[in-house]
Amino acid sequence: MAEQFIEVDQLRDTLRESLETADKRQEDISRQDVLTRIERVIQTIVFSVSKGEAPVLRLMNRCNWSSVRFHKSVGLVRKADVPVAALRCDWPLSATRFALILKLLSVIYKLVQSDSYATKRDIYYNDPQLFGSQRTLDSALDDISCMLKVPRRSLHVFATSKGLISGDLCYLEEDGTKVDCNSSSTAVPVSSNVNGIRNIVSAAKFILIVEKDATFQRLLDDDFCTRLSPCIIITGKGVPDVNSRLMVKKLWDTLHVPVFALVDADPHGIEIMCIYKYGSRAMAFEAHSLTVPSVLWLGLLPSDIQRYRVPEETLIPFSQADESKINSLRNRDYITCQPAWEREIETMQRLKQKAEIQSLASIAPHFLTRVYLPNKLRYGGWI
């Protein structure tokens, strides 16, 4: 069995040798520092009111490509000179958002001051009329984190995790609860407080990020973790939530084993993989604590469609949205710096077809778990 991991072990050794001696990671910020930063914001508002002026909150634009730059060893990071937008309380279009952010600052201040925690869902249901939707609240929390220049975990607000994890992994939650992910048939929800996890124990040779929940469940059903033990598999069920990304980062920082991605051979799957690897525009201010630039693309590669003769009837023609997305990907710095990835994307664009991971089942029912993935890992079929 050991010989199936020769290539993986060599990759692990290479990755460990290439680790930077001075790893610039975002440090946790003290509770007092968070309180002080909130107080400064409120003092500015009070000062404006005392002068008879309309208070203004200055928020950075988190969603434009012009606001981020690509750093090869970190991913997408926020530029130092990002322009800010004025959120005024006396403008009809921004008054509600101004009030929402002040309300959230008040809630966060009380949580940090009392060293207690709340979920985003709890906060939303305390005043659903003000927040309007969970998405609006989520966006405002990210704006506050960016404005205060503190990682979101320092705001004492947790998000309910949607991700799942399984494999050779045990750890303790912050409250002392022991979590054992060693089960061949069921998965464990990713922790809502990844930062509080400690005493991680694992002999895993690699970590496999799985794009879709359906594929993840298929791996469980086929006893993948037992067949290729020891390993860890994790899914964020599509576009990953922050906790799933934090978990992958935590495992990489602790174990320093290869991290592979298994995604659909389509532009959407590639972008999801890039979020784990390089981050996103909206969360670029937290890149140091969320990205794992060592992530490798294991499959499904566009070139695998022809290599394994995936049946034509299982392939999906490109849509206009796919064309737009793939053109966008090809222009990004983190793609153009990787020739092997560029070639795969060119292949996909030339074929004008995409394939889901499930299409491999048309070759044979257990082809994914008993042929495709074992061979990829044994012979180094990643890029």
Side-chain angles (χ1 to χ4, degrees):
M1 289 293 288
E3 64 182 18
Q4 71 180 335
F5 291 122
I6 291 175
E7 292 287 340
V8 174
D9 286 341
Q10 289 177 350
L11 174 62
R12 179 201 60 202
D13 294 340
T14 301
L15 290 172
R16 290 181 177 180
E17 287 173 6
S18 65
L19 285 173
E20 293 183 0
T21 53
D23 185 18
K24 297 180 180 178
R25 296 175 59 190
Q26 192 173 19
E27 297 295 330
D28 285 334
I29 294 173
S30 70
R31 287 168 49 212
Q32 186 54 53
D33 198 4
V34 176
L35 295 175
T36 300
R37 295 183 191 201
I38 295 174
E39 288 165 1
R40 285 176 189 155
V41 173
I42 302 304
Q43 285 169 358
T44 302
I45 292 173
V46 172
F47 184 67
S48 296
V49 172
S50 69
K51 291 169 59 180
E53 299 173 353
V56 174
L57 290 171
R58 302 195 179 279
L59 304 177
M60 295 181 183
N61 191 325
R62 298 182 294 107
C63 298
N64 284 348
W65 283 108
S66 59
S67 301
V68 299
R69 62 182 177 85
F70 173 60
H71 189 294
K72 194 169 183 179
S73 66
V74 180
L76 294 176
V77 297
R78 189 184 61 200
K79 290 180 179 176
D81 55 349
V82 176
V84 294
L87 192 68
R88 300 178 62 93
C89 72
D90 60 343
W91 286 0
L93 292 177
S94 60
T96 300
R97 189 163 182 82
F98 186 97
L100 187 154
I101 288 178
L102 279 189
K103 170 70 173 179
L104 273 176
L105 283 171
S106 171
V107 171
I108 291 166
Y109 191 90
K110 291 174 183 175
L111 289 171
V112 176
Q113 191 177 46
S114 61
D115 196 18
S116 54
Y117 295 82
T119 66
K120 292 193 294 185
R121 208 74 181 143
D122 291 337
I123 296 172
Y124 171 75
Y125 280 114
N126 278 335
D127 200 339
Q129 194 167 4
L130 171 62
F131 297 124
S133 70
Q134 187 71 55
R135 179 172 293 187
T136 301
L137 185 149
D138 294 351
S139 177
L141 274 171
D142 289 339
D143 282 337
I144 289 172
S145 180
C146 192
M147 177 178 66
L148 299 179
K149 297 181 180 177
V150 302
R152 201 168 71 172
R153 60 182 179 272
S154 298
L155 301 181
H156 284 226
V157 179
F158 289 152
T160 303
S161 297
K162 68 172 184 174
L164 297 170
I165 191 166
S166 183
D168 191 299
L169 176 67
C170 294
Y171 58 84
L172 293 181
E173 293 275 13
E174 189 172 41
D175 63 2
T177 302
K178 183 179 180 180
V179 178
D180 187 350
C181 303
N182 286 279
S183 173
S184 60
S185 58
T186 59
V188 174
V190 171
S191 173
S192 293
N193 182 14
V194 175
N195 196 50
I197 288 175
R198 63 187 192 277
N199 293 14
I200 292 176
V201 178
S202 175
K205 295 283 188 177
F206 64 90
I207 299 161
L208 180 64
I209 299 168
V210 183
E211 176 189 349
K212 290 179 174 178
D213 182 37
T215 305
F216 181 87
Q217 294 299 331
R218 182 59 185 265
L219 296 184
L220 288 181
D221 292 343
D222 284 359
D223 291 333
F224 176 81
C225 291
T226 301
R227 291 176 182 276
L228 275 85
S229 179
C231 69
I232 297 169
I233 61 174
I234 183 170
T235 181
K237 297 183 179 180
V239 178
D241 58 328
V242 171
N243 287 327
S244 296
R245 294 169 62 188
L246 282 170
M247 191 68 182
V248 173
K249 174 68 171 176
K250 183 98 172 181
L251 292 174
W252 161 248
D253 286 343
T254 305
L255 305 176
H256 293 308
V257 295
V259 182
F260 301 113
L262 177 65
V263 299
D264 288 339
D266 65 14
H268 188 65
I270 294 171
E271 181 153 63
I272 286 173
M273 176 172 56
C274 289
I275 290 174
Y276 284 104
K277 186 175 177 73
Y278 295 127
S280 62
R281 287 171 296 173
M283 298 293 288
F285 62 94
E286 274 204 69
H288 286 276
S289 61
L290 288 173
T291 62
V292 183
S294 61
V295 168
L296 292 160
W297 189 0
L298 187 67
L300 180 65
L301 302 180
S303 58
D304 289 338
I305 295 173
Q306 294 177 318
R307 183 178 297 115
Y308 291 97
R309 299 180 181 179
V310 178
E312 185 75 23
E313 61 270 19
T314 66
L315 305 181
I316 306 168
F318 256 30
S319 66
Q320 189 59 49
D322 292 325
E323 281 286 355
S324 298
K325 177 62 70 178
I326 205 165
N327 286 329
S328 172
L329 285 168
R330 291 190 67 178
N331 290 327
R332 298 181 193 176
D333 290 342
Y334 55 64
I335 296 295
T336 57
C337 74
Q338 297 189 86
W341 283 36
E342 244 187 333
R343 286 193 296 272
E344 290 294 336
I345 292 174
E346 286 171 4
T347 298
M348 183 188 298
Q349 195 165 31
R350 186 179 69 254
L351 294 172
K352 293 192 180 300
Q353 290 178 314
K354 56 187 182 180
E356 297 182 332
I357 301 165
Q358 293 93 318
S359 65
L360 294 176
S362 63
I363 300 173
H366 300 285
F367 186 81
L368 172 66
T369 54
R370 300 186 187 180
V371 179
Y372 182 80
L373 290 175
N375 284 345
K376 283 268 184 174
L377 293 162
R378 183 168 188 169
Y379 299 111
W382 52 77
I383 57 174

